[in-house]
Amino acid sequence: MAHDDETVVQYGLRKPVMKFAMMVTIYTSIIISLMAYLSSPRWGLSIDEPPPPPDYSKDDAWAATPTSSSGADVHPAGCNDFKFVGEKRIDTFYVHPTGYFGSANNGPIDDPLTNLLAWSTLTQHASIFNGVSNIYAPRYRQCSMHIQGTEKGWNTWMIDLSEDGDIEASSKSPLMVAMEVAFSDVWRAFQYYLEHHNGGRPFIIAAHSQGTMMSKLLIRKLLMEDGGEALLKQNLVAAYIIGNSVGETELSPLKPCKWANSTGCVLSYNTLIEGGDASHWINKNPNERLICTNPLSWEYNDTTMVDDGEASGGMPVTGHLLLTSFDERLVSARCGKDGILWVSDPALVGGWGYMNDMTFKAGGELHAIEFPMFYRDIKKNVGERVAAFFETRGEEVIISGEECSCGGACVVILLVQIVVIVLITWAFSVLLVAPFALAWAGARVRNTGELPELRELLWAFSACCCFNRCCRRKGVDVDLP
């Protein structure tokens, strides 16, 4: 079949406009598909009726335990330091942030995307504590981002707990009902942990964002329980509850941690770039100043600007993936009189992986990277604080020093990550370029009267067929639409 030059191009897509259009089509399709998936109710959930409660005697109700493989086990950039020399003698109970974006008020614990996001936060948050502790992270029927957006400026200080530690009926708006569902899971998970896993060991409570809200309620209810205050006084190393508004006296008699080696206390901060809009966090707890722990000095409400030379290493929003070293000297930091942690712009040093406004668009907020941006600083402090905790008991422990290098094992992990990323990218591309590949196959039949070979069809279904010139070498012409 003959064609003139103006109506024919080879499938290699020589025309830049065509190639650009295909790239835009493919990646726009990815974004639209992802956004549609994130914003729609899934798995036949009722918006009002919560999914079944988790059974914490079963492994699938936990995102991380010491006996299961999870994101909490990773050692980013090969850094397996600041750890116990010998057996781990403490635990960390970690409550992950929001990862459910469907339309139901509470998300199920078996939602694939939710669990993928939980795995990501385990790698960026909980893994900080894996050198000194056994990590327990429950899955819970978290409040969706949708229901959280129905009431502005709310926070757990608005929630009244009854004498038995339940949320009072007077507080039960739809959001409060969803909060009660989520908190009931976290409470049951912690009780199961104490009864079946803890064995009297000291523990850290760690959390971010919604996890911090749940952890505040957890501490408040523990303080109301018989023996709860004594348990915290005796066994709480510290509560690293970050990325939400925690008032200075909100968890009294627990106090903010004053120094790097203070124990039995609470650490918290909300991070914004200097000059940003902190109203989102201040309005969530307007009755008192927020706790601000400066993670570069570990001093409470440290209003002195601490130089970026004290920032020992952060990692970008992509986490440990393809990470060979931490980014040093990312930010300088100070606590403002408003209880906000004000920092310099980390993107100026670390690039696009430290962009601001990835969540609330509040103007300079760094909510999404509040743990990983200070990863090495927190990890080092956890080791120091744990050592100080045992010292107050008259016990000596040895915490290893800095041993951070991407050696042979790290290189193997990086290669595996590259292979997985390539395979996932190829799989996405196969699905998205299928119409183009089928069009090519049809054109092959029309132009030559022959069916394509299996090998050629596989190439046509791969992304490289669209962007490279593998089809061009076959000399197959395709009519333009």
Side-chain angles (χ1 to χ4, degrees):
M1 184 179 294
H3 306 276
D4 59 61
D5 292 341
E6 293 183 358
T7 59
V8 176
V9 292
Q10 293 179 324
Y11 190 75
L13 299 177
R14 288 178 181 173
K15 292 187 177 181
V17 174
M18 287 289 290
K19 182 176 287 189
F20 177 76
M22 183 173 287
M23 291 177 66
V24 170
T25 300
I26 290 173
Y27 289 102
T28 300
S29 298
I30 293 175
I31 292 171
I32 292 174
S33 299
L34 181 60
M35 293 303 295
Y37 180 79
L38 287 174
S39 60
S40 62
R42 301 185 295 281
W43 320 116
L45 289 176
S46 165
I47 289 179
D48 298 318
E49 290 297 322
D55 180 354
Y56 290 106
S57 66
K58 297 182 178 179
D59 290 342
D60 61 6
W62 296 88
T65 64
T67 57
S68 62
S69 177
S70 72
D73 301 329
V74 305
H75 301 292
C79 293
N80 184 18
D81 52 1
F82 303 119
K83 60 183 180 180
F84 265 117
V85 176
E87 184 181 358
K88 296 174 184 176
R89 296 167 60 184
I90 71 167
D91 300 330
T92 292
F93 188 83
Y94 169 75
V95 189
H96 63 73
T98 303
Y100 176 68
F101 296 86
S103 298
N105 292 349
N106 292 92
I109 68 164
D110 58 354
D111 181 79
L113 180 61
T114 299
N115 291 341
L116 177 62
L117 293 174
W119 180 86
S120 177
T121 61
L122 288 172
T123 67
Q124 298 185 38
H125 303 177
S127 67
I128 291 174
F129 304 90
N130 65 19
V132 297
S133 66
N134 309 297
I135 297 173
Y136 294 87
R139 303 190 193 281
Y140 63 103
R141 294 170 295 173
Q142 59 189 272
C143 298
S144 67
M145 188 62 74
H146 158 74
I147 191 65
Q148 290 182 54
T150 60
E151 295 182 33
K152 301 297 183 183
W154 69 278
N155 200 10
T156 50
W157 67 270
M158 299 170 62
I159 299 173
D160 296 323
L161 296 180
S162 63
E163 291 184 1
D164 58 2
D166 293 329
I167 297 176
E168 291 279 20
S170 60
S171 302
K172 289 187 179 179
S173 65
L175 174 58
M176 295 302 107
V177 173
M179 281 282 294
E180 183 177 45
V181 170
F183 174 60
S184 68
D185 288 353
V186 173
W187 175 253
R188 288 187 304 105
F190 189 76
Q191 291 300 302
Y192 188 89
Y193 154 73
L194 286 179
E195 293 172 13
H196 298 275
H197 298 303
N198 176 254
R201 286 188 301 274
F203 57 85
I204 292 169
I205 296 175
H208 185 253
S209 197
Q210 181 177 166
T212 288
M213 292 188 283
M214 296 296 112
S215 296
K216 289 197 298 179
L217 287 171
L218 173 64
I219 292 171
R220 285 174 59 185
K221 184 163 183 175
L222 276 172
L223 291 170
M224 298 173 66
E225 293 281 302
D226 290 339
E229 184 176 343
L231 173 70
L232 292 171
K233 183 176 181 180
Q234 179 178 356
N235 282 352
L236 178 66
V237 177
Y240 288 77
I241 50 176
I242 293 167
N244 223 309
S245 303
V246 184
E248 290 181 315
T249 63
E250 187 176 352
L251 301 178
S252 179
L254 295 187
K255 298 180 179 179
C257 299
K258 288 188 175 182
W259 312 107
N261 58 359
S262 300
T263 59
C265 50
V266 179
L267 305 94
S268 187
Y269 57 80
N270 295 284
T271 316
L272 281 91
I273 295 173
E274 289 278 3
D277 180 5
S279 59
H280 178 86
W281 304 113
I282 295 172
N283 292 341
K284 291 184 76 172
N285 200 336
N287 296 336
E288 61 177 335
R289 177 171 170 159
L290 305 180
I291 295 177
C292 177
T293 308
N294 190 328
L296 299 186
S297 66
W298 296 105
E299 293 185 14
Y300 169 56
N301 282 343
D302 183 4
T303 57
T304 303
M305 179 64 76
V306 180
D307 185 79
D308 59 13
E310 298 299 319
S312 58
M315 62 180 178
V317 69
T318 50
H320 72 295
L321 296 176
L322 306 181
L323 187 73
T324 57
S325 63
F326 287 92
D327 295 313
E328 299 179 352
R329 303 183 69 105
L330 263 179
V331 294
S332 52
R334 68 176 179 88
C335 288
K337 293 181 179 180
D338 47 13
I340 298 297
L341 182 68
W342 297 101
V343 301
S344 56
D345 188 351
L348 297 177
V349 177
W352 67 270
Y354 297 93
M355 292 186 299
N356 59 70
D357 298 341
M358 285 187 274
T359 49
F360 299 111
K361 295 181 172 58
E365 59 86 14
L366 296 166
H367 184 69
I369 53 174
E370 286 176 310
F371 260 110
M373 184 168 60
F374 298 107
Y375 190 97
R376 296 281 294 161
D377 307 284
I378 301 173
K379 190 175 182 69
K380 183 177 181 179
N381 175 255
V382 169
E384 181 178 357
R385 207 173 293 274
V386 167
F389 177 85
F390 282 101
E391 185 177 343
T392 62
R393 290 184 162 195
E395 304 175 38
E396 183 179 357
V397 297
I398 301 176
I399 306 293
S400 71
E402 298 186 40
E403 300 171 3
C404 189
S405 63
C406 191
C410 179
V411 171
V412 172
I413 292 172
L414 289 175
L415 291 174
V416 171
Q417 290 176 355
I418 291 172
V419 170
V420 170
I421 290 171
V422 169
L423 290 175
I424 291 175
T425 304
W426 183 85
F428 265 112
S429 300
V430 165
L431 292 175
L432 292 169
V433 305
F436 298 99
L438 292 174
W440 170 81
R444 171 66 178 266
V445 173
R446 292 195 305 271
N447 293 352
T448 67
E450 299 176 357
L451 289 172
E453 297 177 4
L454 178 60
R455 176 173 57 87
E456 293 174 318
L457 194 59
L458 288 175
W459 270 109
F461 268 86
S462 69
C464 70
C465 189
C466 296
F467 302 119
N468 294 338
R469 295 184 172 88
C470 57
C471 295
R472 182 180 302 173
R473 292 195 296 270
K474 302 300 178 185
V476 178
D477 293 336
V478 179
D479 288 328
L480 281 171

